[in-house]
Amino acid sequence: MRVILAKSAGFCYGVERAVELAKKTAAECGGCVMLGDLIHNTHVIAELEDLGVRKAAVPQDVREGETVVLRSHGERREVVAALEARNIHCVSAACPNVQRIQSLVAQAEAEGRQSIIIGEPHHPEILGVASYCSHPLIFSGPEDVWAWLAEDSGRREVPVTVVAQTTCIRELFETSAKILKKECTNSKIFDTICNATHKRQSEAAFIAGQVDAMVVVGDRKSANTKHLTEICIERCPRVLQIEKADELSPDFFNGCSVAGLTAGASTPAGIIKEVYATMSEEIKTAENGEESFEELLNQSFKTLNTGEKVTGIVTAIGPTEVQVDVGAKQAAYIKSSELSDDPNVKPEEILKVGDEIEAYIVRVNDVEGFAELSKKRLDAVKVWENIEQAVEDKTVMEGIVTEVNKGGIVVSVKGVRVFVPASQSGMPRGADLETMVKSKVQLRVTEVNRARRRVVGSIRSVADEARKAAQEEVWNSIEVGKHYTGTVKSMTAYGVFVDIGGVDGMVHISELSWSRIKTPAEVCKVGDTLEVYVISFDPEKHKISLGVKDRSVNPWDMFMSKYHVGDVATVRIVKLMTFGAFAEVVPGVDGLIHISQIADRRIEKPGDVLSEGQEVDAEIIAVDEEKKKISLSIRALLAPAAEENAPVDAE
């Protein structure tokens, strides 16, 4: 077994410069003060304190006349100003790369540009950089960028200057910068990630992909060490982050043929050398240690370690768990809740005794002799792999909308949370996204950051693609008279627009009903389903005229078959004119009640007696079949009553 040591492991130029500057200042001044941790490494801090570098937790702890060394991450501008105002000499140990970022945001401020910083919001470096402009925006990654853009479309017109934390994961910055460059009309992008950081991360990723176990050395507060660990976990099944050599154990290297070692930018060479030597000794112990009969017997069983993948055989299926033989001394089982991301699925529906199953080891209890497994989590890892591949292949995936959050919605795709910005949800601007919760949607994954467990997707792109295909299908097959089942999309005073499968057609108000109507709302509303047919279409102008009226039914023929002159009909007043009133006899056929035929007395206007929408009885007194006109009379029905009440002439 061998150990591969990363060539880039350990102090970067900025950290080494800060440590040497602190030592030199302490020697020249007979001691000095460091404000906070000069670098993120407790062992180096302790060494500096032994050399006379006193640590002050807050600026108020620095005494007037003292010399203070400002940390490598940089310090807030207002803190420096306050110290200097108290006659305190400040020596800046800020990394030159950090100083460059501070200058960039200060320049952006002077130019009236919005500064955007990609990094960890509460990291000292970010807090220091942010102090060089009035209203900085700090984004952890692309999800925050999308949320900010979705809140206000006007933000795309704002001139922005984009920088990154020196230790930012490159994929995180590049994805965020790509969005801002595409969406914002005036953007300046500065790649301020330290070259040493990028080199260290790339080398760690490469080594982690070649080894069975990976050790990352660095302070647990160190951002770049944490990022190294995240990168290694993606590529190596067994990763251990430590601060010093005594945290190593031979058990960690059991079964390994090759191990890797890297370290964060704040880790001194002495600690790395000690860890490297200890790893070599631990490996020898793991390989060559004398073993008792009991140990040899135990080794005949498979060793189970939390976080590893294991393959076993289903031996029993119960209502709450599935028992699995994984060839180990521990009894292994999978809870029903850890079988699938579908909470309604039953174990017996997806497994049977004798099936081979792969799962992750969630917990090992050697005292009680059991191991808890999870198939769901292993499936989730495979889903991540599928999602990463889906980005390259532009594959359409399916999921369930689980919640609405700031700037968009969250879709569960086989257990993985996919953030969909509001602008990519397929819903109109300002629409209530809560209506999408629990609905099944199709989406295309646009960005993946597995280290941050962040995925961004677009429902709109899939919907637009489907709509485009549907539109092509409609235009390729459309013809006059063809019938469609459509959905009312919008309404105007003169008609409605109906979606007939990706293409909107117009139904004029006159084509909505045989009856005379004032507004489309009298017969339909948005969302209604309508049976329509094509009256005409223009492919070049992309216009379609639709109708709803059943042309097989002729309202005039219906009237002629039902009524004759002298018949009495119950009619509905549809329009009042100065000379009379039009009344609907049957849907699509109106008759005129002349003002002289409305009452048995003289009236000034029809509205004195009648109102629109009123139903009255009227006699059909004339029919012009050629001109399809009907004359009606209410007075004709009132005349007999008037005659009965007339006085009798005396003889």
Side-chain angles (χ1 to χ4, degrees):
M1 180 171 173
R2 61 193 179 96
V3 178
I4 301 175
L5 173 62
K7 295 179 181 179
S8 60
F11 275 1
C12 66
Y13 164 73
V15 169
E16 187 171 14
R17 172 180 172 275
V19 173
E20 292 304 318
L21 185 58
K23 290 179 179 179
K24 180 182 177 182
T25 303
E28 292 177 350
C29 301
C32 62
V33 181
M34 56 179 162
L35 184 55
D37 291 334
L38 185 73
I39 65 172
H40 278 159
N41 189 285
T42 54
H43 306 288
V44 175
I45 298 301
E47 180 185 347
L48 289 173
E49 288 179 327
D50 290 340
L51 294 174
V53 183
R54 182 174 68 85
K55 179 180 175 181
V58 293
Q60 291 77 11
D61 292 342
V62 183
R63 295 183 286 270
E64 185 176 336
E66 286 188 309
T67 297
V68 62
V69 181
L70 304 176
R71 54 189 162 193
S72 60
H73 293 114
E75 189 54 81
R76 287 174 294 164
R77 187 162 55 174
E78 60 269 23
V79 171
V80 178
L83 289 170
E84 291 177 341
R86 293 170 51 205
N87 194 29
I88 295 170
H89 178 53
C90 295
V91 177
S92 177
C95 170
N97 292 324
V98 174
Q99 293 177 13
R100 175 175 176 251
I101 305 174
Q102 293 172 346
S103 298
L104 287 172
V105 298
Q107 182 182 347
E109 178 81 4
E111 295 174 355
R113 304 177 67 84
Q114 172 66 63
S115 292
I116 294 179
I117 310 166
I118 309 299
E120 299 180 26
H122 303 295
H123 193 278
E125 178 187 319
I126 296 296
L127 296 175
V129 170
S131 70
Y132 282 78
C133 52
S134 300
H135 304 288
L137 293 175
I138 304 171
F139 297 146
S140 299
E143 184 175 333
D144 293 342
V145 174
W146 277 123
W148 177 70
L149 290 170
E151 285 179 357
D152 185 354
S153 59
R155 289 173 175 170
R156 289 170 168 78
E157 307 299 325
V158 175
V160 297
T161 292
V162 186
V163 297
Q165 185 176 345
T166 55
T167 56
C168 184
I169 294 177
R170 177 158 295 281
E171 181 185 359
L172 206 62
F173 170 71
E174 289 180 347
T175 304
S176 302
K178 182 179 178 182
I179 297 169
L180 290 163
K181 185 176 181 180
K182 180 180 179 182
E183 298 292 331
C184 296
T185 58
N186 185 352
S187 61
K188 289 184 179 180
I189 311 293
F190 295 95
D191 184 349
T192 54
I193 297 176
C194 175
N195 290 331
T197 296
H198 178 56
K199 181 180 179 182
R200 185 181 292 103
Q201 291 177 352
S202 299
E203 188 178 15
F206 176 77
I207 294 175
Q210 315 298 314
V211 300
D212 301 311
M214 191 76 188
V215 176
V216 182
V217 188
D219 195 283
R220 289 184 171 83
K221 297 191 297 292
S222 169
N224 71 83
T225 302
K226 182 177 68 174
H227 292 161
L228 284 175
T229 304
E230 292 171 349
I231 289 168
C232 292
I233 287 173
E234 287 188 36
R235 295 162 177 82
C236 182
R238 202 182 303 183
V239 178
L240 180 65
Q241 180 181 334
I242 62 174
E243 292 189 351
K244 51 186 179 178
D246 60 12
E247 296 179 45
L248 290 170
S249 167
D251 294 340
F252 179 72
F253 301 103
N254 283 336
C256 296
S257 60
V258 59
L261 173 61
T262 188
S266 302
T267 308
I271 291 180
I272 298 173
K273 184 177 180 180
E274 183 182 354
V275 171
Y276 182 82
T278 304
M279 283 178 67
S280 300
E281 291 299 320
E282 298 290 9
I283 289 166
K284 289 179 182 178
T285 301
E287 289 180 336
N288 304 321
E290 295 184 3
E291 298 163 323
S292 65
F293 174 77
E294 183 181 0
E295 289 171 336
L296 291 172
L297 179 63
N298 287 336
Q299 286 180 14
S300 67
F301 295 104
K302 186 182 298 181
T303 301
L304 302 183
N305 296 296
T306 300
E308 291 183 343
K309 183 172 68 174
V310 67
T311 302
I313 303 297
V314 176
T315 58
I317 299 175
T320 59
E321 66 181 39
V322 172
Q323 296 179 19
V324 182
D325 180 2
V326 294
K329 59 183 179 181
Q330 296 93 345
Y333 72 94
I334 305 174
K335 293 179 181 178
S336 298
S337 59
E338 290 295 323
L339 274 176
S340 169
D341 62 350
D342 183 355
N344 299 316
V345 73
K346 297 179 180 179
E348 60 271 17
E349 293 175 347
I350 56 175
L351 290 174
K352 62 181 183 295
V353 174
D355 281 352
E356 185 176 85
I357 186 172
E358 279 188 322
Y360 265 143
I361 301 172
V362 177
R363 186 161 63 102
V364 178
N365 189 324
D366 291 324
V367 176
E368 297 184 13
F370 70 83
E372 185 179 338
L373 312 179
S374 173
K375 179 178 181 296
K376 181 171 71 175
R377 300 186 195 185
L378 179 61
D379 291 342
V381 172
K382 292 180 179 178
V383 170
W384 274 99
E385 294 171 354
N386 292 339
I387 285 176
E388 290 175 332
Q389 189 63 42
V391 176
E392 295 182 20
D393 299 341
K394 297 183 178 179
T395 306
V396 175
M397 307 190 80
E398 196 171 80
I400 302 293
V401 180
T402 57
E403 62 181 274
V404 176
N405 67 8
K406 183 180 180 182
I409 59 175
V410 175
V411 180
S412 175
V413 178
K414 296 184 178 179
V416 174
R417 289 167 57 88
V418 180
F419 172 70
V420 178
S423 61
Q424 299 297 314
S425 67
M427 295 285 279
R429 181 183 296 275
D432 183 6
L433 297 181
E434 289 286 353
T435 59
M436 298 185 69
V437 175
K438 296 184 179 180
S439 63
K440 184 178 291 186
V441 296
Q442 289 187 320
L443 55 81
R444 184 173 282 111
V445 177
T446 56
E447 298 164 25
V448 177
N449 188 323
R450 192 169 175 183
R452 293 280 183 176
R453 300 187 69 79
R454 290 180 179 172
V455 185
V456 179
S458 171
I459 297 172
R460 190 180 73 180
S461 64
V462 177
D464 288 348
E465 190 175 279
R467 187 175 181 85
K468 185 177 179 181
Q471 288 174 344
E472 291 178 358
E473 175 63 25
V474 169
W475 285 112
N476 288 336
S477 61
I478 195 170
E479 58 185 31
V480 174
K482 187 169 184 177
H483 286 255
Y484 292 93
T485 299
T487 304
V488 178
K489 302 296 287 185
S490 62
M491 305 177 70
T492 68
Y494 51 84
V496 299
F497 287 94
V498 178
D499 183 349
I500 57 173
V503 178
D504 289 349
M506 173 69 179
V507 182
H508 192 269
I509 189 171
S510 62
E511 292 295 333
L512 276 172
S513 172
W514 284 111
S515 297
R516 187 194 298 265
I517 57 176
K518 288 186 175 181
T519 66
E522 294 180 36
V523 294
C524 64
K525 62 181 182 298
V526 173
D528 280 357
T529 299
L530 290 182
E531 298 296 327
V532 297
Y533 62 91
V534 179
I535 295 175
S536 64
F537 63 93
D538 186 338
E540 293 184 1
K541 295 182 179 180
H542 284 77
K543 290 185 177 181
I544 302 174
S545 178
L546 303 172
V548 176
K549 290 178 180 178
D550 185 356
R551 294 293 177 181
S552 64
V553 178
N554 189 316
W556 182 260
D557 292 342
M558 184 186 298
F559 166 76
M560 292 299 293
S561 65
K562 186 175 182 180
Y563 295 105
H564 302 87
V565 174
D567 288 348
V568 176
T570 300
V571 300
R572 181 172 62 89
I573 307 301
V574 294
K575 192 170 186 181
L576 297 175
M577 308 294 288
T578 56
F579 54 83
F582 286 100
E584 182 184 71
V585 184
V586 297
V589 177
D590 294 346
L592 174 64
I593 309 174
H594 191 270
I595 190 171
S596 63
Q597 298 297 318
I598 291 177
D600 56 358
R601 65 187 186 281
R602 182 181 180 83
I603 60 175
E604 293 295 325
K605 57 183 183 299
D608 292 341
V609 178
L610 301 174
S611 59
E612 291 185 6
Q614 180 182 355
E615 290 190 349
V616 296
D617 289 338
E619 182 180 325
I620 300 170
I621 58 176
V623 176
D624 187 334
E625 293 188 43
E626 184 177 345
K627 295 182 179 180
K628 295 184 178 179
K629 291 185 177 180
I630 304 168
S631 296
L632 302 172
S633 174
I634 298 173
R635 179 182 176 184
L637 300 179
L638 300 174
E643 291 174 1
E644 287 177 10
N645 295 327
V648 180
D649 293 335
E651 293 183 1

